[in-house]
Amino acid sequence: MRMQFYYCLFILLTQTFSTFAQEVSEDSLFQQEQVDLTPTKSKDELLASQYKEQGAYEKASLIYEDLYDKDPSPYLYKPLLECYIELKSFKKAEKLIKRARNKFDKTISYKVDEGYIKELQGEKEQADQIYQKLVDEFTGSQYTTLDLANAFLIRKRTDFAIKTYEKGILNGQNLNLYLAQLYIQDLQY
């Protein structure tokens, strides 16, 4: 146990210093003005966002549904899903997730959302099966590994994020820093 702690600390420190050095050199090379790539919100999006912030999820979801029907983008998916979750409209949430998965089948976070909805409905065993299947079956780049782990972290499933990083490391990916951070956060050292 003590050895794992020192290993995590060593990895964390070495990765932090090398990342810092790399960021400093990249920042000095690219001192350009940053451009905001966030889409401009329409009046309807602003109104829906305002309703959502005020807790008027039903009103917000109606506007987001209309916007999503016109433009089924990942940008509109998240707030609409959040409205459905707050309203406990799990059937609508499942339908939205399925629609998003069909349109953007490479986006792995939608599959995690599917498990999360099961979890919210009290079907933890089914959710865990979905999550485990994602970890077992995923293959891909370090980017894909990070994407899947982050999707688990967003849904507060650190246990599956750890499994994802461990599998990535077994596949030769340099994820030791990420894993060490999770061990330290979860006090699993």
Side-chain angles (χ1 to χ4, degrees):
M1 287 258 221
R2 198 166 175 82
M3 193 58 125
Q4 278 184 324
F5 172 74
Y6 289 122
Y7 173 73
C8 289
L9 188 60
F10 174 75
I11 296 297
L12 184 63
L13 291 174
T14 57
Q15 292 292 330
T16 301
F17 289 123
S18 66
T19 303
F20 176 73
Q22 190 176 20
E23 286 177 5
V24 169
S25 64
E26 287 176 1
D27 286 347
S28 62
L29 292 174
F30 301 104
Q31 291 290 331
Q32 297 177 354
E33 185 177 325
Q34 292 185 354
V35 179
D36 184 15
L37 298 176
T38 308
T40 306
K41 289 187 175 184
S42 68
K43 288 180 183 179
D44 287 339
E45 284 178 78
L46 291 172
L47 182 61
S49 178
Q50 187 177 25
Y51 281 143
K52 186 173 161 275
E53 291 297 317
Q54 295 171 351
Y57 298 107
E58 186 66 43
K59 290 179 181 179
S61 70
L62 292 173
I63 297 171
Y64 280 128
E65 284 171 355
D66 185 48
L67 292 168
Y68 193 79
D69 285 341
K70 293 175 187 171
D71 178 23
S73 71
Y75 180 71
L76 294 168
Y77 166 86
K78 183 181 175 188
L80 180 54
L81 181 64
E82 289 171 358
C83 287
Y84 288 154
I85 289 170
E86 291 296 326
L87 294 168
K88 298 190 183 340
S89 298
F90 299 124
K91 293 295 178 200
K92 286 184 176 182
E94 288 172 344
K95 186 178 176 183
L96 174 67
I97 293 166
K98 184 177 181 178
R99 184 175 171 192
R101 282 183 61 191
N102 289 338
K103 183 153 179 74
F104 305 102
D105 66 330
K106 301 277 188 218
T107 306
I108 204 161
S109 62
Y110 298 140
K111 296 173 184 176
V112 174
D113 288 344
E114 181 183 343
Y116 183 65
I117 296 301
K118 296 288 184 198
E119 204 170 326
L120 292 175
Q121 295 178 77
E123 300 172 10
K124 187 178 182 324
E125 199 172 296
Q126 258 189 312
D128 285 351
Q129 288 174 353
I130 291 170
Y131 297 151
Q132 189 61 52
K133 184 177 178 183
L134 283 170
V135 172
D136 291 342
E137 293 180 356
F138 98 93
T139 57
S141 66
Q142 186 164 328
Y143 173 79
T144 306
T145 305
L146 292 171
D147 192 31
L148 179 59
N150 285 334
F152 285 132
L153 291 172
I154 288 168
R155 299 303 180 196
K156 308 288 189 245
R157 292 307 304 259
T158 307
D159 52 340
F160 284 99
I162 288 172
K163 289 179 182 183
T164 302
Y165 288 141
E166 288 173 343
K167 182 170 181 187
I169 290 169
L170 288 175
N171 291 333
Q173 297 173 9
N174 185 10
L175 300 166
N176 294 327
L177 173 64
Y178 298 102
L179 185 59
Q181 287 174 331
L182 283 186
Y183 280 145
I184 291 169
Q185 283 176 353
D186 246 18
L187 301 175
Q188 292 186 5
Y189 53 89

